[in-house]
Amino acid sequence: MAQLELLSAGAVKPGLAKVIDVFQRETGHKIDATFATAPEICKLIGGGATADVVVAPPQLLDDLIKAGKAAGERAMVGRVGVGVMVREGAPLPKIATVDELRQSLLEADSVVYNHASTGIYLETLFARLGIAAQLKTKTTRYPDAAAVLDHVSKGRTREIGFGATTVIVEGKSKGLVFVSPLPAEIQNYTAYAAMMTADGAARDAAREFLGYLATDVAKAILAEAGIQT
């Protein structure tokens, strides 16, 4: 039995946490998982944080390899899209088409999203839609998804929030309503993969966990949480 330290992007937490639970029961290994945004993961590892496995977007893993912080093969976890949320009881904005989304955003009292992968994409999207300037004065951004969900759930006006679809679905119990994913033609998926660190202590168990992510059991759990495998 081994003790694994895992550092993962928060967008896949709803599914990955359940995979970890099953893996622990089946193998006897223990996993201490820390979930953070991609920028926070960079800061943690750059600051000397130890981990055996990192789950993050491929670009971040590429950067870790270049820095000598990660090595070996990758195991794909899946991809996550961007969704729209409002607080429970609020009118549902029309977002079935790009034009409807644009109009709903212009009519909203506030727009809320994060500084992580989702937020970076939304910045470029709003510029493409020609509404970045109009949204600037009524936009609130947070470092992570938890703060976005909290803001929207406690709103009092016409707030529209954005986040990873997995996180929004999980937030249904917190007074939130998942409106829908972004329209297909402007949807953006962030892929996530798992990789061992270069100096992890539990290498055999880490390799076993990466292999487990490819099993039918793990894939089914991830898919149920909204992570496309």
Side-chain angles (χ1 to χ4, degrees), residues 38-39 113-126 141 188:
Y113 55 97
N114 65 25
H115 285 288
S117 300
T118 297
I120 293 170
Y121 171 69
L122 289 172
E123 277 187 310
T124 62
L125 174 64
F126 297 155
R141 299 182 67 178
N188 181 71

Side-chain angles (χ1 to χ4, degrees), residues 63-184:
D63 292 341
L64 293 180
I65 292 171
K66 291 176 183 176
K69 299 289 187 179
E73 296 183 3
R74 302 181 189 187
M76 288 306 301
V77 175
R79 63 178 192 166
V80 178
V82 179
V84 176
M85 72 186 111
V86 296
R87 75 178 185 282
E88 192 173 40
L92 297 182
K94 294 181 179 181
I95 63 166
T97 67
V98 176
D99 286 340
E100 285 184 347
L101 174 64
R102 181 190 290 109
Q103 190 58 39
S104 291
L105 288 170
L106 292 174
E107 293 174 354
D109 294 316
S110 67
V111 179
V112 191
Y113 55 97
N114 65 25
H115 285 288
S117 300
T118 297
I120 293 170
Y121 171 69
L122 289 172
E123 277 187 310
T124 62
L125 174 64
F126 297 155
R128 257 169 46 210
L129 296 180
I131 57 175
Q134 294 97 312
L135 299 186
K136 186 174 182 180
T137 58
K138 58 181 180 181
T139 293
T140 301
R141 299 182 67 178
Y142 291 98
D144 56 35
V148 174
L149 268 61
D150 184 65
H151 180 120
V152 176
S153 67
K154 295 177 179 177
R156 292 291 181 271
T157 57
R158 293 180 299 172
E159 293 89 6
I160 293 180
F162 292 87
T165 54
T166 49
V167 176
I168 300 175
V169 170
E170 190 181 39
K172 285 183 179 180
S173 61
K174 302 173 183 177
L176 294 167
V177 174
F178 177 28
V179 181
S180 78
L182 289 179

